[in-house]
Amino acid sequence: MKKHFVMLVLTCIFILSLVGCNKGTENIKEVNIYEMKNFSSAQKDSLITITDSKVVRDILKGFSKAKKETGIVNMVDPQYKVELEDETYFLWLSEEHGTIMNSHDTNTIYTLSKSSAKTINELLNKLKATANLNCTLKNRQLIKSPLCT
């Protein structure tokens, strides 16, 4: 049987072995992303809520293509926490590599494709830059903007 990944982030959404992975991702309207200090606490005022449907779709698409890695894992503290409605994922990201982990299954990781990692990394970098400029964020909530598509 072919395993399906659910389209985010983180994200979530994701692989059949994850809780809630068969839920329709087309109904996910927002993604919350936090910068993390460690597995249990986020950086103060780091929440970014993404509501732009194209950006949400890009995150979900990247998460849905993630490949399950075999074996038990021991990971460093995550860079991000991604909330997709009732699912939460941890995210480790660089320019060419990305890894996600369901917060309810911390013994399993999923590797993002190189293109998905690049897309999500560029998105987060753009969001951080625009948050600093306060151009497309209102109260740290992403609104539809040509800068973010």
Side-chain angles (χ1 to χ4, degrees):
M1 181 173 119
K2 190 175 183 181
K3 289 189 178 182
H4 296 284
F5 298 114
V6 180
M7 297 282 300
L8 155 248
V9 213
L10 191 166
T11 140
C12 18
I13 286 192
F14 307 122
I15 301 174
L16 289 175
S17 64
L18 300 177
V19 175
C21 68
N22 283 328
K23 294 179 180 177
T25 58
E26 64 277 356
N27 296 326
I28 294 177
K29 303 293 184 211
E30 72 178 33
V31 175
N32 293 318
I33 300 177
Y34 299 84
E35 287 189 63
M36 299 299 290
K37 291 181 186 178
N38 54 48
F39 276 96
S40 59
S41 63
Q43 297 283 350
K44 184 178 180 183
D45 299 323
S46 68
L47 170 63
I48 296 177
T49 299
I50 302 170
T51 57
D52 183 294
S53 60
K54 182 188 181 316
V55 177
V56 169
R57 218 175 21 255
D58 287 346
I59 292 170
L60 296 176
K61 181 179 177 183
F63 276 41
S64 71
K65 293 181 177 180
K67 303 290 184 210
K68 183 178 180 178
E69 298 295 327
T70 59
I72 306 275
V73 297
N74 185 14
M75 301 292 289
V76 299
D77 291 328
Q79 293 168 282
Y80 302 99
K81 178 172 72 173
V82 180
E83 294 177 339
L84 305 168
E85 295 190 357
D86 61 345
E87 289 294 318
T88 301
Y89 298 86
F90 296 114
L91 171 66
W92 294 261
L93 196 61
S94 68
E95 287 184 27
E96 297 185 358
H97 303 283
T99 302
I100 58 174
M101 173 191 289
N102 186 302
S103 65
H104 299 293
D105 180 10
T106 57
N107 291 317
T108 306
I109 59 171
Y110 301 83
T111 303
L112 300 176
S113 69
K114 186 175 178 177
S115 64
S116 293
K118 181 178 178 183
T119 298
I120 294 170
N121 188 53
E122 288 172 356
L123 168 69
L124 289 175
N125 287 335
K126 188 181 290 186
L127 288 173
K128 287 185 215 175
T130 57
N132 290 336
L133 296 174
N134 203 20
C135 294
T136 61
L137 294 177
K138 182 177 181 181
N139 298 327
R140 307 247 338 143
Q141 184 174 22
L142 179 65
I143 58 175
K144 288 187 177 186
S145 167
L147 296 175
C148 297
T149 58

